[in-house]
Amino acid sequence: MSSNPTSQEALASSLQQTLSPNAHERKQAEQFLDSMEQTPHFVVLILQLVNNQATNENIRFAAALYFKNFVKRRWPQNEDTEDTLSVEDRKAVKSEIVSLMITVPKRLQLQIGEAVSIIAENDFPEEWPELISTLVSKLSATDYHINNGILQTAHTVFREWRSAFRSDRLYSKINYVLSQFTDAYLQVFVTTDRLIGEHAGNGAALKVLLHSLMLLCQIYYDLNCQDLPPFFEDNMDQFMQTFHKYLVYSDPGAESDDDIPGDLEEVKASICEIIDLYAQRYEEEFKQLPQFVETVWSMLTTVSASHKYDIVVSRGMSFLCTVVRNPRHRSLFAASESLQLICERIIIPNTALPTNDEELFEDDPLQFVRRDVEGSEAGSRREAAAALISGLLDQFATETTQVMSQYIQKGLAQYAVNPVANWRDKDIAMFLVTSVAVVASVGSLGATR
């Protein structure tokens, strides 16, 4: 795409003014941009500005954000609105946007990725049949920075299937992707696993490779969320063996230094999400389920209380909850010592009020109550523990109630000894009371059983 430097400078200047603290300047810039939207090649010009490495990073981000919102407003075509985007501009955007996703920084990638998702939702595969072949052709055997951009783009396109209603069009789209993507996907999956082993202890390399593995896990879920494709059923042993390996994987070079989930934690959380899906939807084909139950059980009894592991613990308990609710797996939990261990080693440690929640309660009580009522988007340890209790009550109501009653009485007794110092014991006891008492609930109605 060729560009007019003068037009690009004017566009950059206007986007810079949209960041101004002066309301008058912002309004003038917004009016100018609104008037420019009707001109031919405007969307191409914005994309070029995002790709211009000589441009100030804040302006590039403003351009990426504007491009995403522009695509959201004007790309979909329907009978009620006039189509102001020419076929030429649409083709130009689609021919360049994949390469752009691969090269821009992650901060810009997230904005461009949303635009890719909107374009794919409207045009793929009928008006954009070359998308998957373009992604596959750009995969590299050595450059995983490029691969991560490609995998992120693929995930951006595929993730919409997770919440989509089943339809012939959706299944045709998924089958179209599977026919072109799966062989390359398996090759990258195997290579990534091998390279992680070869770079043990190399923190810089592992950071890139584990991010790739995390994206590969997310794409695996995307491609399996609607139905179990024959390709993944045929290669299930290989995939599940690798997933199990990384569920117990540990390397000092892969550990994140802060309290925020790193790529390794995201990988383990994604694997728990995958096996939860398989336990719910593809139980008959999922022969490795008992092995994963044992591994997740063991992992949850040893994982740290650090905030960065919250997502792993939450999804791990969600998997156990799915399994325990299934009467066919009742024998895995039927022993009295099994219930005792689940309650003592998994549920109770994850019902304590986290330190960051205590701080939120002190700083913003209303926000704390709102989040407690509405629930956390990512899922908290407490929510997962309550769901696991509910699952146990489904199959072992009497036994679970008896075990929980012991911990409720113990917590209240500890509180009575020193109410000021042991208020957390009472909080845990009250949480367990509500978890045992409320067998079923929905967000809009509250407790229903």
Side-chain angles (χ1 to χ4, degrees), residues 295-400:
T295 302
V296 171
W297 187 323
S298 175
M299 179 185 72
L300 291 175
T301 61
T302 56
V303 71
S304 161
S306 173
H307 175 61
K308 69 179 179 181
Y309 298 113
D310 285 0
I311 188 171
V312 179
V313 173
S314 174
R315 290 187 179 169
M317 284 198 283
S318 177
F319 166 68
L320 287 186
C321 182
T322 296
V323 178
V324 79
R325 285 184 185 276
N326 190 328
R328 286 189 289 273
H329 302 302
R330 201 175 190 278
S331 60
L332 294 173
F333 307 90
S336 58
E337 58 269 22
S338 297
L339 290 175
Q340 187 78 30
L341 282 173
I342 289 178
C343 296
E344 181 179 330
R345 303 286 300 279
I346 297 177
I347 293 175
I348 300 299
N350 291 300
T351 55
L353 190 67
T355 304
N356 55 340
D357 279 3
E358 290 183 39
E359 294 171 353
L360 178 63
F361 180 75
E362 293 172 359
D363 297 338
D364 192 346
L366 287 177
Q367 176 62 21
F368 174 87
V369 172
R370 185 180 299 114
R371 195 176 71 172
D372 190 51
V373 171
E374 295 176 355
S376 168
E377 184 178 342
S380 69
R381 294 190 185 213
R382 274 196 150 193
E383 290 173 25
L388 183 52
I389 292 172
S390 176
L392 290 169
L393 288 169
D394 269 0
Q395 298 297 321
F396 311 98
T398 303
E399 299 91 330
T400 303

Side-chain angles (χ1 to χ4, degrees), residues 404-442:
M404 286 298 161
S405 296
Q406 297 172 14
Y407 290 102
I408 292 169
Q409 292 168 7
K410 182 179 177 181
L412 293 176
Q414 286 290 105
Y415 171 75
V417 171
N418 189 338
V420 175
N422 298 337
W423 64 268
R424 291 179 181 82
D425 294 285
K426 181 179 180 180
D427 178 69
I428 292 174
M430 296 306 295
F431 178 81
L432 293 176
V433 168
T434 56
S435 298
V436 172
V438 179
V439 178
S441 66
V442 292

Side-chain angles (χ1 to χ4, degrees), residues 211-267:
H211 188 69
S212 300
L213 184 60
M214 182 269 292
L215 290 170
L216 287 164
C217 289
Q218 291 183 340
I219 291 171
Y220 188 99
Y221 189 101
D222 297 337
L223 296 176
N224 285 264
C225 64
Q226 289 287 337
D227 202 356
L228 179 59
F231 173 85
F232 290 100
E233 185 174 356
D234 294 342
N235 292 280
M236 189 181 297
D237 286 341
Q238 181 176 2
F239 281 116
M240 289 302 162
Q241 183 179 354
T242 306
F243 288 149
H244 186 270
K245 171 183 174 180
Y246 287 101
L247 203 53
V248 298
Y249 175 84
S250 177
D251 188 304
E255 296 288 339
S256 57
D257 297 328
D258 50 29
D259 211 27
I260 300 172
D263 289 310
L264 179 57
E265 290 75 42
E266 294 286 354
V267 165

